[in-house]
Amino acid sequence: MEEKISQIKKEYLHKIQKASTLEQLDEIFIGLFGKNGEVDQLSRQFSTLSKDELKIVGPLFNQIKQELEQAIGNRRQVIKEEIYKSLENETFDIKGNEIKKRTGHMHPLTAFEEETAKIFNKLGFVQIDAPLIDTDYNNFEVLNIPENHPARDLWDTLYLDTTNYQLPTTKLLLRTHTSNSQIRALKSSKLPIRLMNIGRCFRYENLDARHEHTFEQFEIVYVDHGVSMANLQYLSEYFLKAIFGSDIKVRLKPKYYPFVEPGVGVDGLCIFCKGKGCKVCGGIGWLELAGAGMIHPNVLKAGGVDPNEYSGIAWGFGPARMAMIKYGIEDIRLFNSGDLKFLERF
Ligand code: PHE
């Protein structure tokens, strides 16, 4: 037994000295101290020894176990130091590596809105702000949509619960459209008025590929002597040609909005089927691209403008819907998804 123990010691000390990697050392350790390793096997034979023999073999066994363990520890340290040394001289070649630089760019919707603002700016329209949280009065009442009027059903509205805040008792809501800028435009500006408002709007929507609860709108207010439906047709054509190219055809069709009279839906000839009728336009051949109309005399009056002297146009659309058509985007929810795969398409 003593001989066997010495032999194991010799054999393993040699192996330890020869080991050149940490993995090899791990293997040696397991061969010695692991389950069914040399130590395990030896200790299982102890039961066959006499008491006297055990007195000699026991301490020897323990001593050699310790020596070997220490030898492995020392060798591990040496190998580690060699590794650190070799790392010191290592250089990291970043030039040759394929690290792709990722350059950010404007969000497609922001880019589209900037383009829109530029197009109208050329005609003298200037941007104004209107709040995203507004009063029921500015968003609805002043626009000819009194409380309990069925016209409110056109806008699924998110009202704010203000009971626990010290706020005036007026009803507050998340604006449902940029038309809340109309009364501000009329009140704040000297005539003639050419203003535009871009920004977020919110509705209590059933979400699908064409409906978002948070979306953008763009709207202009144009008031002057003798402004008419002819100007509205011109503005619609001017803008849609700038966006979709000069061969787009534009038509106005009657549509009800309480704050304009007459009110119109602005249709563009379907850019996909050129009027033949397809899946995108639902077989109609035309796509409704904007809502507009002659500002209702009640709204003009509320804004301090005399409807007998002046007339005005309100004209607006949803940039996301239009960008979807222009760029062939299949789902409106992609815009706010933060999905890089989508954003990198632009
Ligand atoms: N505010 C209307 C909507 O959200 C669109 C519109 C704007 C209609 C301007 C007429 C004039 O549906």
Side-chain angles (χ1 to χ4, degrees):
M1 187 63 125
E2 283 174 68
E3 215 172 279
K4 180 94 205 266
I5 294 176
S6 310
Q7 196 198 322
I8 289 176
K9 177 182 161 183
K10 223 175 106 190
E11 185 191 328
Y12 273 85
L13 279 180
H14 182 66
K15 274 192 190 173
I16 292 166
Q17 279 323 306
K18 265 182 57 186
S20 58
T21 66
L22 295 176
E23 289 77 23
Q24 283 171 8
L25 273 183
D26 287 343
E27 272 167 32
I28 294 169
F29 185 88
I30 290 168
L32 267 171
F33 300 104
K35 212 175 163 208
N36 277 327
E38 301 283 3
V39 167
D40 203 21
Q41 284 179 32
L42 273 177
S43 55
R44 258 187 259 141
Q45 291 169 29
F46 286 178
S47 56
T48 61
L49 298 178
S50 69
K51 262 197 179 163
D52 285 346
E53 274 175 315
L54 253 183
K55 263 191 195 155
I56 303 168
V57 170
L60 180 69
F61 176 78
N62 283 335
Q63 186 204 329
I64 284 173
K65 234 170 61 175
Q66 259 182 21
E67 267 180 49
L68 287 171
E69 218 173 332
Q70 192 151 18
I72 290 178
N74 292 344
R75 183 76 193 134
R76 194 181 291 280
Q77 198 52 38
V78 173
I79 293 176
K80 271 191 191 166
E81 270 160 27
E82 278 168 9
I83 294 174
Y84 295 149
K85 257 228 180 85
S86 70
L87 283 179
E88 265 172 29
N89 301 325
E90 195 155 282
T91 53
F92 182 49
D93 178 15
I94 43 168
K95 269 179 274 148
N97 272 351
E98 293 222 353
I99 298 175
K100 250 215 256 156
K101 250 200 206 158
R102 196 178 233 160
T103 356
H105 61 76
M106 214 182 262
H107 188 280
L109 212 49
T110 316
F112 188 75
E113 287 169 358
E114 283 213 348
E115 192 186 346
T116 302
K118 258 191 212 150
I119 291 166
F120 279 100
N121 195 243
K122 279 193 193 146
L123 296 184
F125 286 86
V126 174
Q127 284 194 48
I128 50 158
D129 263 344
L132 309 190
I133 297 175
D134 207 353
T135 57
D136 186 270
Y137 176 81
N138 288 327
N139 192 87
F140 286 136
E141 271 203 57
V142 77
L143 296 173
N144 258 347
I145 318 169
E147 198 160 5
N148 299 325
H149 193 279
R152 290 228 179 182
D153 294 348
L154 295 173
W155 292 272
D156 306 298
T157 310
L158 295 156
Y159 290 94
L160 300 185
D161 178 3
T162 53
T163 38
N164 292 327
Y165 302 88
Q166 281 171 347
L167 287 167
T169 45
T170 37
K171 239 190 197 172
L172 292 178
L173 47 79
L174 298 183
R175 71 167 176 183
T176 59
H177 49 186
T178 42
S179 300
N180 73 332
S181 65
Q182 285 184 21
I183 192 66
R184 291 182 170 81
L186 295 171
K187 276 185 181 163
S188 70
S189 214
K190 273 202 212 119
L191 292 151
I193 295 167
R194 287 181 198 209
L195 294 174
M196 55 181 162
N197 178 249
I198 312 175
R200 289 205 151 170
C201 302
F202 311 86
R203 289 188 197 170
Y204 182 64
E205 287 281 9
N206 272 330
L207 306 187
D208 62 28
R210 280 167 50 80
H211 296 88
E212 259 284 28
H213 50 73
T214 301
F215 58 98
E216 309 262 315
Q217 277 198 346
F218 173 92
E219 183 151 341
I220 59 167
V221 172
Y222 172 36
V223 182
D224 204 344
H225 290 293
V227 170
S228 75
M229 290 294 282
N231 299 94
L232 204 161
Q233 171 77 22
Y234 172 79
L235 283 173
S236 304
E237 277 184 30
Y238 165 79
F239 176 66
L240 293 176
K241 281 186 173 167
I243 296 295
F244 293 109
S246 55
D247 58 343
I248 188 156
K249 293 209 163 46
V250 179
R251 74 173 187 187
L252 306 180
K253 65 176 185 219
K255 189 159 183 196
Y256 173 64
Y257 296 104
F259 38 90
V260 284
E261 181 59 38
V264 296
V266 181
D267 282 357
L269 193 71
C270 177
I271 59 162
F272 301 102
C273 65
K274 303 274 179 253
K276 285 195 198 92
C278 67
K279 236 172 61 193
V280 182
C281 61
I284 299 166
W286 295 84
L287 290 165
E288 187 171 306
L289 297 172
M294 302 304 299
I295 300 176
H296 197 286
N298 288 353
V299 181
L300 289 176
K301 267 189 248 162
V305 176
D306 181 357
N308 295 317
E309 226 189 293
Y310 288 95
S311 53
I313 289 168
W315 188 103
F317 72 95
R321 290 262 183 93
M322 207 173 290
M324 281 170 79
I325 294 167
K326 182 167 165 134
Y327 300 119
I329 296 163
E330 54 287 352
D331 195 317
I332 197 166
R333 290 166 291 192
L334 285 166
F335 285 111
N336 288 339
S337 66
D339 182 349
L340 278 181
K341 266 199 218 116
F342 165 69
L343 294 173
E344 280 170 355
R345 271 163 58 183
F346 299 92

